[in-house]
Amino acid sequence: MEKLQPKLRFPEFRDEWIEEILNNIVDVRDGTHDSPKYINDSEYFLLTSKNLNLNGKIDFKDVKYLTKKDFDKINQRSKVEINDILFGMIGTIGNPVIIKELKINFAIKNMALLKKSELILPEFLYQQFRSSLIDKQFNKLNTGNTQKFISLSTIRSLKIFNTSIKEQTKIADFLGAVDKQLDILNQKKEKLNTYKKGVMQQLFSQQLRFKDDNGNNYPDWQEKSLGEVSRITTGISNRQDSDLNSEYTFFDRSQEIRKSNRYLFDTEAVIVAGEGSDFIPKYYVGKFDLHQRTYAIMDFEKMIGKYLFYYIYNFRQYFLSQAVGSTVKSLRLPMFEKFKIQIPSIKEQTKIANFLSAIDNQIEAIENQITKTETYKKGLLQQMFV
C-alpha cells in the first residue's frame, strides 16, 4: 500500500494517507442485469444511470415501474440502504449519489452499488468519487475509447485514499457544508425559474396587467403577425466560419458561445435557431454573424425587442408545433411571419420587459454564485484528493 500526503490538509492531522483498492474495504455490487417486465404504474421503481444527476441527487421523473415480485428479486442481489453510494456504469458514467433517505421504493440497474463500510466513512468516500481522482483512473483505463461503459471489475479495482476516521469526518463535514450551500443556491434558482414561468404566463395571457403612473389601465392589446412588425432573415455563414476566439458573436443552433472574424448585422435582434429540438430564443444588441439556418428578427415596428424576446420564449411551443422533419426539426420563414403576437402599448411593453429582466438578473446572480462555489469546491477536491 502506497503512503502519501494530500496537498491541502487540516493542520492537526499529520499521519500519512494510505492508498487502497476499493474492493478491499467496500463491498461493491451492481444492479440487475436482466430486463424485468415493466408495468404502467406501481409504488416500486427501477432506476438506471440516467436517474443520477450531476448535483448528487436522484431524478425520479423518468422511471420504470416494477411489480413487487421483481422488486424483491432484484433487491436480493443489490438492496440499496442508507449511506450506500450509487454510481453510473452504463451510458451516464459517474454522477455518484450518497443515499441519505429512503422514502421511495426503488431497485437499480446499470449502476454500481458501494455498500456502507466500517473501514471508511461513506461521506468521505462519496467526496472522493466526486473528485477528478476517479475520472483520471477511468480515463487512463479507457484511453482511445468512448466512455459508455465501466465494468464492475474496473470499479472494484479503483485506488482510493484512506485515513483516520477523525480526519475523514472533518473533511466530509467541510465539503458537505459546501454541498449544502450549493443545494440552497440551486433551490433558489429553481424557485425563481418557477416563479418566472408562472408570471410570464399570467402577463402574456393578460391575467396580470400593469397600470400606468396614474393608476389607470393601459390601452387594449393589438394582435399582429410577426411578419407585420419586424424583418426576419437568415444568415449566410456556416459553422466552419466560426471559432472560439474571434471578435464578433456567432449564432447557430448550438448553445455554445462561438465567435466570428466578421459580422453580418449590427442591430438589436431576437435570434432563433432554424433547427433543433427546442427553439429557445436569444436576445442580442450589437454586431454579430449568423448561420444560414438561423433566424434573426429585427427592425421592430412599435415593439420593444426585449418584450418580443420574452413573448417568443413564452410561446415557443408554437414553433415546435410548426416545425417539420422527423430526425431534426426545422423551421421555415413563413412559420415566423405568420406567428401571432399580442402587442400592448410601448409603455406597458417596457414595464413587462423590465419586470422579467429583473427576475433574469436575479437568476444570473445566483448562477454566478453557483459557478463560483462549484469552482471553489473543485479546487478543494483537487488539493485534498489528487
Side-chain angles (χ1 to χ4, degrees):
M1 294 183 293
E2 182 182 350
K3 295 185 177 181
L4 41 83
Q5 290 273 5
K7 295 178 182 178
L8 181 64
R9 198 174 191 186
F10 292 102
E12 63 266 37
F13 300 103
R14 298 181 182 276
D15 293 342
E16 291 185 324
W17 285 24
I18 299 173
E19 187 178 75
E20 300 192 78
I21 301 302
L22 180 64
N23 198 52
N24 290 343
I25 57 172
V26 175
D27 178 7
V28 184
R29 310 176 190 176
D30 60 357
T32 181
H33 295 180
D34 300 328
S35 294
K37 184 178 180 180
Y38 304 125
I39 58 179
N40 292 331
D41 194 14
S42 170
E43 62 179 288
Y44 303 102
F45 296 172
L46 180 69
L47 304 184
T48 64
S49 294
K50 67 181 180 181
N51 297 109
L52 304 180
N53 283 343
L54 275 170
N55 62 1
K57 306 293 182 183
I58 295 178
D59 183 357
F60 289 99
K61 293 178 182 177
D62 184 13
V63 298
K64 302 293 186 182
Y65 299 104
L66 298 171
T67 63
K68 178 139 187 337
K69 180 180 179 181
D70 283 334
F71 172 79
D72 290 339
K73 180 181 178 182
I74 295 170
N75 278 350
Q76 288 177 1
R77 169 192 178 91
S78 51
K79 183 178 180 180
V80 180
E81 299 173 300
I82 299 293
N83 286 327
D84 288 348
I85 297 170
L86 300 177
F87 188 86
M89 296 174 61
I90 300 177
T92 300
I93 305 298
N95 294 355
V97 171
I98 186 168
I99 303 301
K100 286 301 180 182
E101 60 180 15
L102 283 171
K103 295 181 179 180
I104 297 175
N105 299 312
F106 67 88
I108 60 172
K109 180 179 181 178
N110 301 340
M111 293 186 200
L113 173 62
L114 283 59
K115 300 297 294 180
K116 58 185 175 183
S117 169
E118 294 181 356
L119 300 177
I120 191 167
L121 196 69
E123 292 83 359
F124 179 73
L125 180 60
Y126 166 75
Q127 294 294 350
Q128 289 195 56
F129 269 79
R130 298 286 294 178
S131 75
S132 59
L133 168 72
I134 302 301
D135 288 338
K136 284 182 178 179
Q137 293 184 62
F138 284 153
N139 291 335
K140 186 176 180 180
L141 292 167
N142 288 274
T143 302
N145 297 325
T146 302
Q147 196 166 299
K148 297 294 183 183
F149 169 75
I150 296 295
S151 69
L152 187 61
S153 61
T154 297
I155 295 173
R156 285 172 170 166
S157 67
L158 289 172
K159 295 177 181 179
I160 62 162
F161 297 147
N162 208 352
T163 183
S164 69
I165 292 296
K166 285 186 177 181
E167 186 172 14
Q168 290 181 41
T169 301
K170 190 144 189 178
I171 291 171
D173 288 347
F174 179 70
L175 293 175
V178 180
D179 287 338
K180 286 180 182 178
Q181 180 62 25
L182 280 170
D183 283 343
I184 291 169
L185 290 170
N186 279 305
Q187 288 170 19
K188 286 182 178 179
K189 178 184 172 183
E190 185 177 350
K191 287 179 180 178
L192 271 175
N193 278 320
T194 301
Y195 171 68
K196 176 188 169 185
K197 181 179 179 181
V199 79
M200 283 177 71
Q201 291 173 346
Q202 290 183 302
L203 286 169
F204 293 124
S205 66
Q206 301 183 55
Q207 295 176 25
L208 178 64
R209 292 285 301 272
F210 286 102
K211 303 285 187 179
D212 66 19
D213 294 339
N214 297 317
N216 299 318
N217 293 330
Y218 283 107
D220 291 340
W221 293 19
Q222 295 182 340
E223 183 177 275
K224 298 279 187 179
S225 65
L226 188 57
E228 291 180 90
V229 296
S230 66
R231 178 167 69 95
I232 309 162
T233 185
T234 57
I236 58 172
S237 301
N238 293 304
R239 187 172 176 82
Q240 55 263 37
D241 299 322
S242 68
D243 55 48
L244 299 175
N245 302 308
S246 292
E247 181 178 358
Y248 305 109
T249 300
F250 174 85
F251 290 106
D252 63 359
R253 62 180 287 184
S254 173
Q255 293 299 311
E256 178 186 30
I257 298 175
R258 297 189 65 82
K259 298 289 185 177
S260 174
N261 59 12
R262 68 173 183 179
Y263 67 91
L264 299 178
F265 307 97
D266 183 5
T267 187
E268 178 187 32
V270 178
I271 314 293
V272 182
E275 295 178 338
S277 57
D278 189 0
F279 300 100
I280 299 174
K282 299 173 183 175
Y283 175 78
Y284 193 79
V285 179
K287 297 174 180 178
F288 63 93
D289 196 2
L290 192 66
H291 191 272
Q292 61 179 317
R293 289 191 295 276
T294 299
Y295 292 85
I297 307 162
M298 60 189 82
D299 299 343
F300 315 115
E301 180 182 325
K302 296 182 180 179
M303 289 278 290
I304 299 294
K306 211 59 180 295
Y307 170 84
L308 179 61
F309 161 74
Y310 285 118
Y311 193 94
I312 289 175
Y313 184 92
N314 189 64
F315 291 107
R316 68 186 186 277
Q317 181 63 38
Y318 162 83
F319 295 108
L320 290 169
S321 69
Q322 296 293 307
V324 296
S326 54
T327 54
V328 178
K329 296 293 184 180
S330 300
L331 297 174
R332 305 289 184 263
L333 180 59
M335 299 172 186
F336 284 89
E337 292 176 330
K338 68 181 183 180
F339 176 58
K340 297 296 182 183
I341 310 171
Q342 296 293 325
I343 305 175
S345 67
I346 291 293
K347 288 185 176 180
E348 190 172 5
Q349 287 182 49
T350 302
K351 283 195 173 184
I352 291 171
N354 289 345
F355 181 78
L356 295 174
S357 293
I359 299 174
D360 276 344
N361 289 339
Q362 292 180 61
I363 293 172
E364 183 179 2
I366 291 173
E367 287 174 340
N368 289 336
Q369 291 180 58
I370 291 172
T371 299
K372 288 179 181 178
T373 307
E374 288 175 339
T375 302
Y376 171 63
K377 184 179 178 188
K378 182 179 179 181
L380 291 173
L381 289 172
Q382 287 176 338
Q383 295 181 77
M384 286 180 164
F385 293 120
V386 180

